[in-house]
Amino acid sequence: MLKPTISVLVLRHVANCLDLVGCDPEPLLAGFHLRRNDLDNAKGVMPLEDFLGFLELAAVKAANPYLGLQAGRLGALNSLGALGFLFLSAPSLRAAFTGFDSYLATIQDAVRNRFSAQGGIATFEYMITDQTLQSRRQDAEFSIALMHNMCRNYVGGEFELIEVRFEHACQGDERVYREFFRCGVFFDQDTNSFSFEDHFLGCKSPVIDPELYPIVEEHLRRRVADSARRARSHKDIIRVLETSPLDRTPTLDEVAASMGVSVATLSRRLKAQGMRWRDLVNDRRMHAAARLLRQSQRDVAEIALSVGFAESASFVRRFGRHFGTTPQRFRKAGAENPPRA
């Protein structure tokens, strides 16, 4: 199965931030079989798993538990390549979010990125959908802080948030987060997001001439079309599964209908890849449960519901068959032996 990837340009920004805090990124890059000049390749990608691991390890090496937040705050115009230019050249902040929402997949796989506005409140949401990728705290904080910084660059210093939410439990001083975002920050949530008053959506950017926007958008549209032509059917199936809510997994019939094929055809394609639908669904739920047990403080009953089980007993039985231990023991083992980056 193809592993999700991310553009190396994002890692280039993180490496530059490490330089600024006096931590040499070269030894860290070497540990992931990368050199500094590899990060200048606009078409280069790396496994998303390696990117997440690099961020977690960099925070340890720099002795800075808030590295993701600070790297996000230092986000520059080219931190996201063409996608960053698209955002900052948009004719309005609403168009900036809409464009970002449409084209994030050009630099990163396995991500759910949503923008919505209703009831006077606008919300940006970011979440990695591949549940096998467990160590994601620094990435979540980096991504939310970077988008917040992009908004401040677009609107100006008057841009203010109403609230910020993170999937993971608070690790560190909660006051750091409140002072950083200048609003309430909530942990152990269903997603990573920030919200603000929607009157900012009409603002126009003083940073880049909006005439650049359609040019950059056409470039990204071609990249999306090229990617779609190269996509393999099993990758499409995985994408449908990953972008669905954990507590509402689509049936194979629904997936087949969304792809315009029969259930029999879809089953044959899965079988040819050595996969079964029910195994894919179960693996996703179990990996999500394992991550929540390790990285959040939610109780077992709440986790069971969040990953699609109607009651705790069936969840505990399924978890035991999958991991060979109970959820409680799994959580305790993780607390006593935290995973290394």
Side-chain angles (χ1 to χ4, degrees):
M1 189 181 299
L2 298 177
K3 291 186 175 182
T5 61
I6 187 170
S7 170
V8 296
L9 295 179
V10 186
L11 189 60
R12 179 180 65 179
H13 169 69
V14 176
N16 292 339
C17 291
L18 287 173
D19 282 332
L20 291 175
V21 298
C23 180
D24 184 6
E26 297 286 0
L28 297 176
L29 290 170
F32 291 88
H33 310 290
L34 290 168
R35 297 171 299 176
R36 191 64 176 263
N37 58 4
D38 292 333
L39 308 184
D40 294 324
N41 181 4
K43 296 182 179 180
V45 297
M46 65 183 294
L48 180 57
E49 182 178 18
D50 286 356
F51 176 79
L52 301 180
F54 183 94
L55 274 177
E56 298 293 332
L57 185 58
V60 174
K61 294 296 185 182
N64 182 357
Y66 309 108
L67 178 68
L69 287 177
Q70 294 173 3
R73 172 175 281 173
L74 294 171
L77 184 63
N78 62 349
S79 300
L80 299 175
L83 192 62
F85 284 91
L86 181 80
F87 189 98
L88 292 172
S89 64
S92 69
L93 186 60
R94 183 186 296 274
F97 273 110
T98 302
F100 191 90
D101 190 23
S102 300
Y103 298 110
L104 179 59
T106 61
I107 67 167
Q108 182 178 345
D109 295 330
V111 63
R112 183 171 75 231
N113 171 61
R114 291 176 180 168
F115 166 70
S116 61
Q118 56 183 353
I121 304 298
T123 299
F124 168 78
E125 175 189 353
Y126 168 87
M127 185 177 182
I128 291 175
T129 57
D130 186 336
Q131 299 300 326
T132 66
L133 302 176
Q134 301 274 304
S135 298
R136 51 173 85 179
R137 174 203 160 198
Q138 293 295 336
D139 172 73
E141 295 182 3
F142 166 70
S143 299
I144 292 297
L146 179 60
M147 284 303 295
H148 175 225
N149 188 59
M150 295 275 282
C151 291
R152 287 176 62 83
N153 284 336
Y154 189 101
V155 174
E158 65 271 21
F159 182 77
E160 294 289 345
L161 298 180
I162 296 173
E163 68 172 28
V164 173
R165 295 175 178 265
F166 287 115
E167 291 179 279
H168 52 268
C170 181
Q171 300 177 35
D173 189 342
E174 192 171 338
R175 291 174 299 179
V176 172
Y177 294 90
R178 292 198 300 268
E179 292 171 2
F180 185 94
F181 291 109
R182 295 189 297 184
C183 67
V185 180
F186 304 92
F187 297 88
D188 291 326
Q189 303 298 304
D190 291 334
T191 189
N192 308 296
S193 67
F194 63 72
S195 299
F196 55 94
E197 294 180 357
D198 67 0
H199 67 81
F200 288 113
L201 295 176
C203 293
K204 302 182 184 302
S205 173
V207 180
I208 300 179
D209 190 329
E211 291 186 2
L212 181 64
Y213 184 83
I215 299 172
V216 180
E217 185 179 29
E218 178 59 28
H219 166 72
L220 292 172
R221 186 181 293 117
R222 288 197 299 268
R223 287 182 60 181
V224 169
D226 290 343
S227 177
R229 283 193 293 269
R230 292 194 300 268
R232 297 170 61 180
S233 59
H234 76 281
K235 191 174 182 180
D236 293 334
I237 296 168
I238 299 300
R239 185 180 298 113
V240 173
L241 175 60
E242 288 184 342
T243 54
S244 67
L246 279 167
D247 60 352
R248 172 60 180 93
T249 301
T251 65
L252 191 59
D253 293 49
E254 291 170 335
V255 176
S258 72
M259 296 178 64
V261 299
S262 69
V263 173
T265 297
L266 196 55
S267 296
R268 284 196 300 272
R269 292 178 181 178
L270 284 169
K271 186 176 180 180
Q273 297 294 330
M275 297 182 289
R276 294 188 303 177
W277 178 250
R278 66 181 182 184
D279 292 337
L280 292 174
V281 171
N282 183 60
D283 286 348
R284 180 178 184 242
R285 286 176 169 176
M286 291 300 99
H287 283 299
R291 177 176 56 81
L292 293 172
L293 286 165
R294 289 280 176 84
Q295 299 181 10
S296 79
Q297 297 177 354
R298 303 185 203 181
D299 61 35
V300 171
E302 185 179 355
I303 290 174
L305 289 173
S306 70
V307 299
F309 288 83
E311 40 83 28
S312 301
S314 58
F315 166 69
V316 171
R317 289 194 298 271
R318 183 69 61 82
F319 192 92
R321 288 198 296 269
H322 196 89
F323 290 107
T325 187
T326 66
Q328 293 87 346
R329 289 174 180 169
F330 185 91
R331 170 173 273 170
K332 183 178 179 182
E336 293 173 348
N337 301 287
R340 295 180 180 180

